[in-house]
Amino acid sequence: MRTDNVLGWLHRDPHWEPTVEVAGRALPVIVRRLDRARRMTMRLAPDGSEVRISIPRWGRTVEALAFAQSRRDWLTRQVQALPAFTPLSPGSLLSFRGEPLHLIHDPKRARRPKVTEGALHVGGPETSLAQRVARWLQAEALSSLDADLTEYCARAEQAKPALALSNARRRWGSCASNGSIRINWRLIMAPDFVRRSVVAHEVAHLIHFDHSPAFHQCLNELFEGSIHEANRWLKMHGRELHHPFG
């Protein structure tokens, strides 16, 4: 789409939601202005649902949209590289807290999954296998995330807010204006430091409800590991967390 065409749309309809045609799909283009941004950057959402462009505060939306259109070939390659959804079945490989587990099914075993070295044993009918594994992962996620939240709120000297699991396909965590926090349950499949970095990020928002330098300083003080490495892991492997359950 030409730049003048984009400007025309913006002038005619301020509520227009821009998209870019990629691999036969119209993907929404989300443009965010960041105080720390020094240049324009673009990436595909982990599940391929949208194109995300970050620009400096002084950047122009029309230039970001034109940039997305100019990089359609790159976006197409990114979409085509997304892992195909394959339903869980006996013998599938599943990640739990960053470690691979082979899914072993025995109808005679207890339905509640049980972890042994390198394996996840699940009983009950095979027809509901994926649902039982998902419920187990969500319960494990809630337990781990609650412990993480308790720890980081204590470090930040903040009252512990309400916690809920998220199934969002576009965000790993969120902090509402009322202080409640939602974290994507799929992070239980990631290494612990990655999950904990997201919790620390949202706790930092209890103090700084923005992404200002003060927020990033607070986050670096709260989180015991490398935020850069955690973000890098999510950028490289985040899409894989959406693979086992679609």
Side-chain angles (χ1 to χ4, degrees):
M1 182 179 291
R2 290 170 49 188
T3 301
D4 54 355
N5 289 343
V6 173
L7 280 171
W9 273 108
L10 290 174
H11 284 304
R12 289 199 299 271
D13 183 1
H15 302 293
W16 172 62
E17 295 185 354
T19 61
V20 59
E21 191 77 18
V22 178
R25 299 165 52 194
L27 296 182
V29 180
I30 309 300
V31 180
R32 299 184 300 172
R33 286 179 170 79
L34 303 179
D35 290 330
R36 292 165 60 89
R38 296 293 178 264
R39 61 187 177 86
M40 186 183 305
T41 59
M42 181 175 68
R43 62 190 178 92
L44 189 68
D47 63 347
S49 61
E50 66 184 17
V51 177
R52 300 171 180 174
I53 301 180
S54 298
I55 61 176
R57 285 292 177 187
W58 42 262
R60 300 174 64 208
T61 299
V62 63
E63 293 175 350
L65 302 182
F67 180 62
Q69 295 290 343
S70 71
R71 299 297 305 277
R72 288 172 60 189
D73 289 346
W74 179 84
L75 287 169
T76 296
R77 292 194 295 272
Q78 295 296 304
V79 169
Q80 291 174 342
L82 290 172
F85 169 60
T86 304
L88 282 180
S89 61
S92 293
L93 198 61
L94 181 72
S95 180
F96 176 62
R97 298 180 65 174
E99 298 296 328
L101 296 177
H102 284 279
L103 183 58
I104 299 177
H105 175 243
D106 181 351
K108 299 178 182 179
R109 290 182 65 97
R111 296 191 180 199
R112 180 176 175 79
K114 181 178 180 180
V115 177
T116 61
E117 187 174 351
L120 179 65
H121 299 268
V122 188
E126 185 175 340
T127 53
S128 56
L129 182 64
Q131 294 93 317
R132 291 197 303 284
V133 173
R135 287 196 297 269
W136 175 75
L137 285 172
Q138 290 162 6
E140 292 291 322
L142 186 59
S143 176
S144 294
L145 291 168
D146 185 71
D148 296 338
L149 185 60
T150 298
E151 180 179 344
Y152 286 121
C153 283
R155 291 186 189 181
E157 298 182 343
Q158 297 291 308
K160 183 180 175 183
L163 170 67
L165 296 182
S166 164
N167 193 34
R169 300 185 66 83
R170 300 178 183 179
R171 303 182 70 176
W172 296 116
S174 64
C175 178
S177 57
N178 65 2
S180 62
I181 286 177
R182 295 175 63 86
I183 306 291
N184 198 308
W185 66 267
R186 295 169 187 270
L187 286 169
I188 196 62
M189 293 184 278
D192 288 349
F193 81 96
V194 175
R195 182 195 73 245
R196 287 174 59 83
S197 75
V198 175
V199 179
H201 182 110
E202 302 310 329
V203 170
H205 276 316
L206 297 175
I207 303 172
H208 301 283
F209 202 63
D210 53 29
H211 286 100
S212 63
F215 163 82
H216 288 283
Q217 180 179 349
C218 177
L219 175 56
N220 286 329
E221 292 172 355
L222 283 177
F223 184 55
E224 67 281 0
S226 167
I227 290 294
H228 172 74
E229 288 302 316
N231 290 342
R232 184 171 178 268
W233 192 98
L234 280 173
K235 184 176 180 180
M236 294 180 63
H237 304 289
R239 297 175 187 175
E240 298 169 13
L241 303 184
H242 291 272
H243 184 203
F245 301 96

